[in-house]
Structures are given as structure tokens and as C-alpha cells.
Amino acid sequence: MFKSGFVALIGRPNVGKSTLINNLMGQKLVIVSDKPQTTRNRIHCILTTEEAQVVFLDTPGIHRPRHRLGQRMVKTALNTFKGVDLVLFLVEGPISPGPGDRYIAQALRGLKTPVILVMNKMDLPPEGSPGGRGFKGAYEGLYPFAGVHEVSALQGTNLPGLTEAILAALSQGPKYYPDDMVTDQPERFVAAELIREKVFQLTRDEIPHSTAVVIEEMREREGSPLLDIRAVIHVERESQKGIVIGKQGRVLKEVGSLARQDLEVLLGSPVYLE
Ligand code: GDP
Ligand code: MG
């Protein structure tokens, strides 16, 4: 029996949703950053095995809305959970539940879709936990979860058990996407996200998240295995150009070199990145 289904991730910004998807997929597809809210678009990652196909939806972190737009974003995010087969609710296991976690738990109330609690970052020691027992009980009290998994998305700890639970929660279904497809976003989008990620990594807090990367061109070079990719990094202010370029072009060069390495793995061919 072939199983398939859609699995959505929900959790406060920075709990490790993108890291978890990356690790479950074994491929770098979703931008990871130590700053919250970098995942702007919902990315469908598609994991296909011989027995099953899981389509993951990574959503921008849900936070307590403080303004109208925030409220609308949260509503949209919550609506998508009605249409999925399973929800993974990620929390930071080593710290006690916060208002953001409680807000999400409350918002999920009444949902018929099963919700699995994923306590992430368990590689870190519990922070100020009474008797060092951790916060499992406190999290379990937030919602009638279908299951609880303590993992480290970063180190890959206990992920096989989580994968098993995900597969167990899915029912018989079709193969929605071809075997070799890992994302339904165009390759250009993934390439742009990868480059954006490197810009943030290398410029620290100096460059705002409004920075955009546009892939102007992506094509195979004639008579060569090379893939030519031309990307443009857009910044908001003239002064930010210097930061992205760096002294003697050092930062930009490093962005290009790191992005190229990831792109070659992702696209499976040598890349010339301009
Ligand atoms: P998202 O905002 O929920 O998508 O979170 P990210 O996946 O972007 O991760 C936010 C930060 O937490 C990054 O710096 C990750 O490296 C870090 N992180 C994610 N998972 C773990 C984990 O299991 N252990 C530790 N120590 N750090 C993690
Ligand atoms: Mg993310």
C-alpha cells in the first residue's frame, strides 16, 4: 500500500523548522538562519521513498500578532492546517513554554488534523528546569497531542523515530509528484534563496531582510556540462552595497563561492555563478 500526504510545520520563529525539514530531506532546500522570519514562501519539500511520499510545508514562524497584518498572516497559516494530513508542532524543548507556544496551542484548538509535538534542540541542556527534569510535561499540557518526540534537528538525533511516526500518520494515497522532484518551487527560487542565505550569513546584522536576490538567467552552456547562473542582489540603500561587496570584493566573492558549492550539490552539475 502506497501512502502519501501533506505535513505542515508550525512553531515560533527560530525553533528549527527549516533545519528539521532540511535534515529530514537530507538536502539543503530551505533557508536556515539565526534570524527569525527568513522563510517567506511556503516551500513544499517532497520526500519520496518506495512506500510513501510526504509533502512538507514549511511556514513562516507564527508569532502572537500585534497588528492587523500579523493577524491576517496567522489566519492564513492556520487555514492551511485544515487541509493537511498531519501537523508537526515544533517547540524549543530546553526552555519552558512561552506565550508564543501557548498562542499556537490555543489557535490549534478544534482542529481535527492530528498534531505531533516535536521538542527540538534537545542537544542543549534544559534552562532553569526544576530538578533538571525538562519541560516535557509542561508542553504536553498545552494540547492533546497525538505523540511527542524529543529530537535534535541539528544533530539528527531521534529523527528516524519521528519519520516513522509521520509515515504512520499518513494513509493510502497517490504519488502526487514524480520521484525525482524534491520541491515544487522552481529551481530559480531555491537558487535565489540559497544566495540570500549566504548574504545574511556573511554580513551578520548589517544587511536587512528586505534584501532580494533575482536569478536573471539560468541555462546550460552549449557543449559543456556547465550551468550558467546570473544572479542580482538587490539592497535597499546605496550604503549597503559596500557591505555586500566588501573590501576588494571579498564578501561578494565568498557569497558566490559558498552559494556555488551548494548549488552544484542541489542541481547536480557544475555551476558558473555570476
Ligand atoms: P525556523 O525559524 O523555525 O525555521 O528555525 P531555523 O531552522 O532557521 O533555525 C533557527 C536556529 O536554530 C538556527 O541557528 C539553527 O541552526 C538552530 N537550530 C535548529 N535546530 C537545532 C537543534 O536541534 N539544536 C540546536 N542547538 N540548534 C538548532
Ligand atoms: Mg525557517
Side-chain angles (χ1 to χ4, degrees):
M1 179 183 83
F2 194 81
K3 287 175 149 193
S4 65
F6 290 79
V7 176
L9 271 80
I10 187 172
R12 287 185 298 103
N14 249 353
V15 291
K17 297 178 294 298
S18 301
T19 308
L20 181 70
I21 286 196
N22 281 337
N23 210 318
L24 290 174
M25 293 293 299
Q27 254 194 73
K28 196 156 196 159
L29 283 173
V30 189
I31 192 164
V32 181
S33 148
D34 13 30
K35 288 175 216 166
Q37 299 282 319
T38 28
T39 316
R40 290 178 168 175
N41 304 51
R42 217 159 41 124
I43 300 181
H44 299 229
C45 281
I46 306 153
L47 181 65
T48 308
T49 68
E50 284 190 357
E51 302 100 47
Q53 184 167 71
V54 191
V55 184
F56 288 104
L57 311 179
D58 179 29
T59 57
I62 302 255
H63 44 91
R64 276 185 309 158
R66 292 205 174 79
H67 50 84
R68 276 268 182 78
L69 181 67
Q71 275 171 11
R72 177 134 22 109
M73 280 168 59
V74 170
K75 222 178 211 167
T76 310
L78 288 171
N79 262 333
T80 65
F81 300 130
K82 290 185 187 147
V84 302
D85 301 284
L86 177 68
V87 174
L88 299 182
F89 181 3
L90 255 82
V91 299
E92 272 188 65
I95 60 173
S96 64
D101 302 307
R102 279 193 284 275
Y103 176 79
I104 294 172
Q106 206 177 354
L108 288 173
R109 209 147 287 166
L111 191 73
K112 295 211 177 64
T113 317
V115 181
I116 287 180
L117 174 69
V118 180
M119 293 178 64
N120 189 33
K121 307 200 184 182
M122 293 308 279
D123 54 293
L124 301 172
E127 243 172 57
S129 151
R133 284 196 317 264
F135 300 101
K136 197 172 173 206
Y139 280 109
E140 281 173 330
L142 290 181
Y143 190 85
F145 293 108
V148 183
H149 290 259
E150 296 177 86
V151 307
S152 166
L154 196 65
Q155 299 184 350
T157 316
N158 290 340
L159 294 190
L162 178 60
T163 307
E164 232 171 76
I166 293 171
L167 294 179
L170 302 182
S171 36
Q172 185 166 13
K175 205 180 263 184
Y176 295 102
Y177 300 95
D179 286 344
D180 57 354
M181 198 157 160
V182 286
T183 171
D184 71 350
Q185 295 283 343
E187 286 173 340
R188 280 176 185 237
F189 169 79
V190 178
E193 281 287 279
L194 268 176
I195 298 168
R196 228 162 70 84
E197 177 193 69
K198 304 307 175 205
V199 173
F200 296 144
Q201 256 176 28
L202 295 170
T203 58
R204 304 264 157 72
D205 288 322
E206 293 167 88
I207 291 298
H209 271 83
S210 48
T211 301
V213 173
V214 174
I215 306 292
E216 304 263 68
E217 191 184 328
M218 190 159 174
R219 72 155 157 235
E220 282 169 46
R221 194 181 289 186
E222 233 173 280
S224 149
L226 264 187
L227 197 63
D228 279 307
I229 300 178
R230 204 172 68 238
V232 177
I233 302 169
H234 294 268
V235 289
E236 274 186 332
R237 262 175 261 113
E238 195 65 24
S239 61
Q240 293 160 353
K241 262 168 95 168
I243 301 170
V244 173
I245 294 167
K247 269 200 199 100
Q248 288 160 340
R250 254 182 259 156
V251 176
L252 191 60
K253 214 169 179 180
E254 184 71 4
V255 165
S257 151
L258 290 174
R260 184 181 50 76
Q261 286 167 27
D262 275 6
L263 285 167
E264 290 185 338
V265 173
L266 177 73
L267 302 168
S269 86
V271 165
Y272 180 78
L273 181 62
E274 187 186 322

